[in-house]
Amino acid sequence: MDKMVLNLGPQHPSTHGVLRLLLELDGEIITSVEPEVGYLHRSLEKMAESKSYIQYLPMVDRVDYLSGFFYSYAFCNAYETLNHIQVPEYANYIRVMFMELNRLASHLLWLGTYLLDLGAISPMFYTFREREDIVTYFEKVTGQRLMYNYFVFGGVRHCDIYLDEALRIVDNIYNKIDEYEDIITENPVFLSRTKDVGIISKQKALDWGLTGPNLRASGILQDYRSIMPIYDDLEFDIILSSEGDCYSRYIVRIYEMRESVYIIKQCIEYLQNINLSNVPLNNFYHKQKQHEGEIYSFVEAPRGLTMCYLKSVGEDTPYRVKWRTGSYYSTQILKDILKGVYLSDVMSIYGSLDVVLPEVDR
Amino acid sequence: MNYLLCTLFEIKWLPDIWAVILVSVIGFGVVISLLILTVLFLVLAERKLLGFFTQRKGPNRVGLWGVLQTTADAIKLLCKENIELLSSDKFIFTIAPIMAFASVILLWCLIPYNSEFHLINSSVGVLLYFAIASLPMIFHFLAGYSSNNKYSLIGSYRSLGLTCSYSIVLMLSVMSVILVSGTMDLDKIVLFQSKTWMIFSNVLGFLIFFIATLAKLNRCPFDLSEAESEIVCGYHTEYSGMRFAMFFLGEYAELFVMSMLVVILFFGGYLPPFGMYLANAFMGNCEFCSYLIYFEQTIWLFIKTLIIVFVIIWIRATLPRLTQVSTLNMFWKYIIPISIFNLIMIIMMRALW
C-alpha cells in the first residue's frame, strides 16, 4: 500500500509554534518522522556580537518567552563569573524566588496546553487563571509580563517585590494543584492517552541528550539545581519517576510545581527577615573594564538544562554567545519515539515533552 | 396534525389534496423554525455553559446576556466567501453540507413533539429514524473525501471507522427498547412509558445507548473525526462560510434531536414526570386545558432534552479525547458484548413474563 506523507505544521493548532513534522503514514501508523525547525530563528546568538553586554541583556529573555528569568540568570551568571562580581545574598534569594515562580508559570501553561492537546478544554482555563496571578505579579514588580529584564549584572534591578502578595499567590497555587490532580490524574481517559505512551528508556533519554523533567521522568537522577550554589541553603526534593512515559512526565511536572512552591516559601521567609528597603543595589557594569576569557554557565530551566557560553576578548561586546536549550534536544528525540505510534498519539507525546519553539530556534 | 387535517376535510374549504399539502407545509414550517431557534439557542447555551464551567463569562456582548451572539455569527458566516480548492470535487463538495443538514431536518420531522403534533407518523418510526440518522455521516465522509485534503481524509476515515462500531451498539440497545415496549412506533413507545419510564426497566440499555449517542454525535470524548489538536478540523477543514455553518449548525441540530430520541426512548418523551399534567392539576378538566396540554407536553419534552444536552456539554467540559484505537477497542471488545448480553437478558425477561 502507498504511504501518505502528512505535513504536520509549521502552522498547526497544537505544535505550539512553528514546528514542521514530516510524517509518513501507513494508515494511522507513523513509519517515519522528520522534525524540521528553524521557522522562528531570530539570530539571538549572532546579535550578541554586535551589541554591548547591557544592550544584549533585555534580549536574553526572548530566548524563551515562557521562562525568561532563567535565561536572564544564565547570562548574568556568565558575566558575573567572568568579571568576578560578587552577588549579594539577598539578590540570590530574589533570583531563586523569581525563577521558581517562573517555573511554576511555565509548568502551569504546559499543563493547560497539554490537556488541550489531549482534547480537554477546561484545565487550560484553570491553569491560566493561576498563571495570570503570577504574571500579574511579575508585571507589578518588573513592569513586564513576559520579557522581564529584571536581573542585572551583580544583582537585581530593584527590591520592591511585594512579598505578601507572592506568598498569597503560591499558597493559592499549592491548593489549586490538588484540584488539578482531582480532575486529571485519575481520569481514565487521560490515563488511556498517556500511560505506556511514548516510552523513553533511560539509555535513549541519555543518548538523545534529554535534560530536565523529561530526563527525570525516565528515571535518571539529574537536577542541576542540586549543584547550583544559589540553591545551596534551600531544601527541596528532586522528583523522579521511572516509567518514562507521558504519564510520568506529567507526574514529574506536577510534583515539581509543589517543590517550587516549597522553595519559594523558603525564599520568602528569608527575605521577610531582612530589611529590603536599604540594601545596596549593585550596578557594576559601568564601573569596570571587561575581563577576557570564556565561561559556560548553566541553570536548570523548566524545559531542561540551559547553558550559556560566553567568550569575551576584553571589548564592550561579547565575542561569542552560544545557548544550549532543553527544547532543542526534546525536538530531536521525536525522530526516534514517534516511529510506530498512531497519529493521535503524536500530540500526546509531543505535548508531554514541553517543547517551546522559540527556544529551539533562538 | 390529524385534528387540523380533519377540520380542513370537514369544512370543505379546500380540495382534500391541497388540504394535505397545506397541513404538511405548516407542520414542516413549524419544525424548521423550531429547529433554527433551538440551534441558535443551543450554540449560545454551550458557549455559556462552557464559560461557566471554566470560570469565564461566555459571550455577553451582542444583545442582552449575549443572546444575539449566534445570530450575529450565523449572519457573518452567511456573508463570507465560500472558498474551495481547485483540486476538490466541486459537485460533491457543494452538495455534501446541504445534504447533511437536510437529513438532520428530516430527523426532526420524525419526532413526536406531543400527542398530536407528529409530522411523519410511521409504524416503524425507530427504524426510519436510524436509517435517516446514518445519512449525515455518509455526507461527512463525502465532504472530507471530496475536499482533497489529507487532514479531511483522515477525519473521514476516522468517522467511518467510528460509524462501524457505534451503529451496531445503537441498534442493539434500541432493539432492547423495542423488545420491552413491543412496538417500533415512537408514539406508542412514549405511551408505553406512561406508568414507568423505560430507563427503570432497561438501565444498561440506556447507558450503552448514551455512550453510542456521544460517538454518533462526534461529541467528546469521541470527537476524533474532528479532533482540532490532531487533524485541524477533520472532514470540514476545507469548508468556509455558509457551507461550514451547515455542518456546524447541523451538528447542533443533530445533538438536540438525538437527545430528544434518548428522552423518547428512555425518559417518557413528552409525558410529564409526575404522571399528571400541570394544566390539569391547576385548572381541572376544562376544554381549554386539552389544548394547553399539547404545549405542556412539548415543554416537558424540551426540558428533559435540555437536561440530556446539559450532561453532554458537561462531559465535554470534563473529559479529554479518546484515541481511534482505544475507541474501537472499547466498542468492539466491551460495549458490543455488553449490549448483546443486555439484549439476551431482555429477551429472557420478556419470555418469563
Side-chain angles (χ1 to χ4, degrees):
Chain A
M1 199 176 84
D2 278 356
K3 283 173 183 166
M4 181 166 91
V5 177
L6 184 67
N7 191 0
L8 200 84
Q11 278 82 35
H12 188 274
S14 54
T15 48
H16 304 293
V18 277
L19 173 73
R20 183 180 178 203
L21 286 173
L22 273 172
L23 306 171
E24 211 176 79
L25 292 171
D26 180 6
E28 276 225 11
I29 297 175
I30 288 155
T31 51
S32 87
V33 190
E34 193 58 58
E36 269 193 38
V37 297
Y39 289 93
L40 203 55
H41 188 66
R42 292 150 295 161
S43 60
L44 277 168
E45 288 168 1
K46 190 70 187 167
M47 241 193 292
E49 294 165 21
S50 58
K51 299 229 182 291
S52 68
Y53 288 96
I54 203 79
Q55 279 177 324
Y56 186 58
L57 190 57
M59 281 180 191
V60 292
D61 291 319
R62 281 143 178 88
V63 173
D64 178 2
Y65 52 71
L66 296 180
S67 52
F69 278 128
F70 292 90
Y71 298 86
S72 232
Y73 172 78
F75 189 66
C76 288
N77 190 32
Y79 182 85
E80 284 151 7
T81 323
L82 204 60
N83 290 299
H84 315 296
I85 299 172
Q86 268 296 317
V87 181
E89 201 181 8
Y90 81 88
N92 275 338
Y93 272 94
I94 294 179
R95 283 181 176 184
V96 171
M97 181 186 139
F98 275 75
M99 285 199 291
E100 292 302 325
L101 271 171
N102 208 339
R103 189 192 306 277
L104 267 179
S106 172
H107 279 1
L108 282 173
L109 187 129
W110 167 82
L111 183 61
T113 49
Y114 182 45
L115 267 291
L116 193 67
D117 287 351
L118 295 181
I121 38 180
S122 299
M124 189 185 115
F125 293 102
Y126 299 148
T127 58
F128 267 68
R129 180 186 60 199
E130 268 72 69
R131 179 176 173 270
E132 188 61 29
D133 281 351
I134 299 178
V135 174
T136 315
Y137 172 69
F138 283 162
E139 191 184 9
K140 199 171 172 184
V141 174
T142 69
Q144 279 275 11
R145 285 164 64 84
L146 296 174
M147 318 296 177
Y148 312 104
N149 192 18
Y150 178 64
F151 297 168
V152 291
F153 305 126
V156 291
R157 202 166 283 282
H158 61 80
C159 294
D160 311 327
I161 52 170
Y162 311 100
L163 286 170
D164 295 338
E165 194 174 333
L167 197 60
R168 185 187 59 76
I169 290 169
V170 291
D171 277 339
N172 177 39
I173 288 175
Y174 194 79
N175 297 329
K176 295 290 186 199
I177 293 170
D178 292 340
E179 283 182 22
Y180 305 149
E181 283 220 85
D182 281 346
I183 56 169
I184 301 168
T185 309
E186 301 284 319
N187 190 324
V189 182
F190 177 74
L191 287 179
S192 83
R193 288 298 300 268
T194 51
K195 273 256 178 206
D196 302 323
V197 173
I199 294 175
I200 303 174
S201 64
K202 268 187 191 183
Q203 194 53 45
K204 205 184 267 182
L206 289 174
D207 286 351
W208 287 93
L210 282 191
T211 45
N214 296 334
L215 184 63
R216 290 196 284 281
S218 291
I220 290 161
L221 189 79
Q222 188 222 52
D223 190 333
Y224 281 86
R225 280 183 289 180
S226 57
I227 54 165
M228 278 164 70
I230 57 169
Y231 282 90
D232 273 351
D233 300 330
L234 301 165
E235 278 178 27
F236 63 96
D237 292 335
I238 298 168
I239 310 299
L240 209 59
S241 177
S242 54
E243 281 83 22
D245 54 3
C246 296
Y247 184 71
S248 53
R249 287 194 275 281
Y250 158 80
I251 285 291
V252 164
R253 287 203 175 86
I254 281 278
Y255 280 89
E256 233 178 63
M257 282 199 261
R258 292 208 174 100
E259 288 305 314
S260 288
V261 171
Y262 191 49
I263 295 173
I264 293 165
K265 278 189 171 174
Q266 292 175 49
C267 292
I268 292 176
E269 204 178 324
Y270 172 86
L271 290 169
Q272 272 171 342
N273 289 333
I274 58 167
N275 189 3
L276 282 176
S277 56
N278 55 4
V279 289
L281 287 175
N282 296 330
N283 199 341
F284 289 96
Y285 181 70
H286 296 296
K287 292 179 193 162
Q288 64 167 32
K289 194 180 167 297
Q290 316 298 331
H291 286 62
E292 282 182 36
E294 51 186 336
I295 188 81
Y296 212 1
S297 76
F298 64 88
V299 62
E300 176 81 20
R303 272 162 278 279
L305 177 65
T306 289
M307 291 177 124
C308 174
Y309 171 77
L310 178 65
K311 183 172 182 179
S312 164
V313 289
E315 291 169 1
D316 252 5
T317 61
Y319 181 76
R320 175 90 172 95
V321 171
K322 167 98 179 75
W323 289 97
R324 183 251 188 246
T325 53
S327 288
Y328 186 69
Y329 296 84
S330 309
T331 318
Q332 271 188 45
I333 200 173
L334 288 176
K335 208 170 178 174
D336 193 323
I337 55 173
L338 284 189
K339 243 176 234 173
V341 305
Y342 288 99
L343 180 62
S344 17
D345 287 336
V346 169
M347 284 312 147
S348 69
I349 294 171
Y350 173 70
S352 74
L353 290 171
D354 191 13
V355 176
V356 166
L357 265 298
E359 198 198 24
V360 175
D361 293 339
R362 269 106 62 194
Chain B
M1 291 295 288
N2 290 333
Y3 181 77
L4 188 61
L5 202 58
C6 289
T7 328
L8 280 176
F9 284 163
E10 268 169 28
I11 58 170
K12 294 279 178 210
W13 176 57
L14 278 172
D16 283 0
I17 177 73
W18 284 106
V20 171
I21 290 174
L22 183 69
V23 168
S24 313
V25 168
I26 290 171
F28 190 69
V30 170
V31 168
I32 286 280
S33 42
L34 211 60
L35 183 150
I36 304 271
L37 282 178
T38 319
V39 165
L40 287 181
F41 166 75
L42 213 55
V43 176
L44 178 75
E46 165 145 35
R47 291 178 62 183
K48 274 277 179 196
L49 277 175
L50 283 181
F52 296 150
F53 276 121
T54 52
Q55 307 206 337
R56 291 176 292 136
K57 287 201 169 79
N60 63 353
R61 294 286 134 171
V62 192
L64 189 66
W65 210 63
V67 276
L68 295 176
Q69 181 67 53
T70 20
T71 324
D73 286 347
I75 292 170
K76 184 207 76 176
L77 284 173
L78 206 65
C79 304
K80 273 178 93 171
E81 187 190 356
N82 280 322
I83 302 164
E84 54 186 55
L85 294 185
L86 280 176
S87 51
S88 63
D89 188 333
K90 297 266 167 10
F91 178 67
I92 300 176
F93 188 81
T94 317
I95 209 156
I98 299 168
M99 296 304 285
F101 194 57
S103 40
V104 177
I105 295 175
L106 256 181
L107 286 182
W108 276 68
C109 299
L110 288 167
I111 298 291
Y113 293 94
N114 52 39
S115 48
E116 200 58 39
F117 187 72
H118 193 171
L119 206 58
I120 303 174
N121 199 350
S122 162
S123 55
V124 284
V126 180
L127 277 188
L128 200 56
Y129 183 95
F130 282 101
I132 296 170
S134 60
L135 286 178
M137 193 287 304
I138 291 172
F139 292 110
H140 290 172
F141 169 74
L142 283 178
Y145 186 67
S146 66
S147 50
N148 202 5
N149 175 314
K150 285 170 186 172
Y151 291 116
S152 303
L153 182 66
I154 294 169
S156 295
Y157 69 64
R158 276 186 180 186
S159 120
L160 270 190
L162 202 57
T163 312
C164 296
S165 33
Y166 73 69
S167 320
I168 298 170
V169 178
L170 270 183
M171 286 321 284
L172 283 173
S173 49
V174 164
M175 210 110 82
S176 67
V177 173
I178 294 170
L179 278 170
V180 173
S181 64
T183 172
M184 285 197 212
D185 192 332
L186 285 170
D187 242 338
K188 283 177 187 152
I189 289 178
V190 171
L191 292 176
F192 176 82
Q193 301 173 65
S194 51
K195 284 205 185 72
T196 52
W197 290 354
M198 187 72 77
I199 181 165
F200 298 118
S201 50
N202 196 1
V203 185
L204 204 53
F206 165 69
L207 290 175
I208 293 163
F209 188 82
F210 189 67
I211 292 170
T213 305
L214 288 180
K216 162 138 194 55
L217 293 170
N218 266 332
R219 296 290 296 192
C220 188
F222 304 107
D223 52 347
L224 21 103
S225 66
E226 43 187 294
E228 74 276 357
S229 62
E230 290 154 27
I231 48 173
V232 191
C233 250
Y235 56 83
H236 57 67
T237 305
E238 287 298 339
Y239 280 87
S240 62
M242 203 52 211
R243 289 176 187 158
F244 164 73
M246 290 272 195
F247 280 126
F248 185 73
L249 300 178
E251 222 163 69
Y252 279 91
E254 203 185 352
L255 163 70
F256 199 79
V257 79
M258 275 306 280
S259 312
M260 274 203 277
L261 187 78
V262 172
V263 168
I264 285 165
L265 292 183
F266 294 97
F267 293 95
Y270 50 72
L271 297 172
F274 321 112
M276 191 179 182
Y277 292 103
L278 286 179
N280 277 342
F282 288 121
M283 300 169 75
N285 279 322
C286 56
E287 199 182 338
F288 178 62
C289 285
S290 54
Y291 293 106
L292 214 57
I293 278 174
Y294 297 142
F295 285 102
E296 198 189 325
Q297 284 174 333
T298 315
I299 288 166
W300 278 125
L301 177 70
F302 272 56
I303 287 175
K304 289 175 191 174
T305 309
L306 284 175
I307 292 169
I308 300 281
V309 168
F310 173 77
V311 172
I312 292 177
I313 294 172
W314 189 3
I315 288 173
R316 183 177 168 202
T318 315
L319 289 181
R321 184 183 301 118
L322 281 162
T323 60
Q324 176 82 352
V325 185
S326 53
T327 311
L328 291 185
N329 268 345
M330 192 179 105
F331 272 109
W332 286 96
K333 284 187 188 163
Y334 303 105
I335 296 185
I336 291 183
I338 290 173
S339 52
I340 291 172
F341 166 77
N342 179 46
L343 195 61
I344 293 169
M345 290 298 287
I346 296 283
I347 291 170
M348 280 167 67
M349 270 160 62
R350 283 286 286 182
L352 290 175
W353 275 324

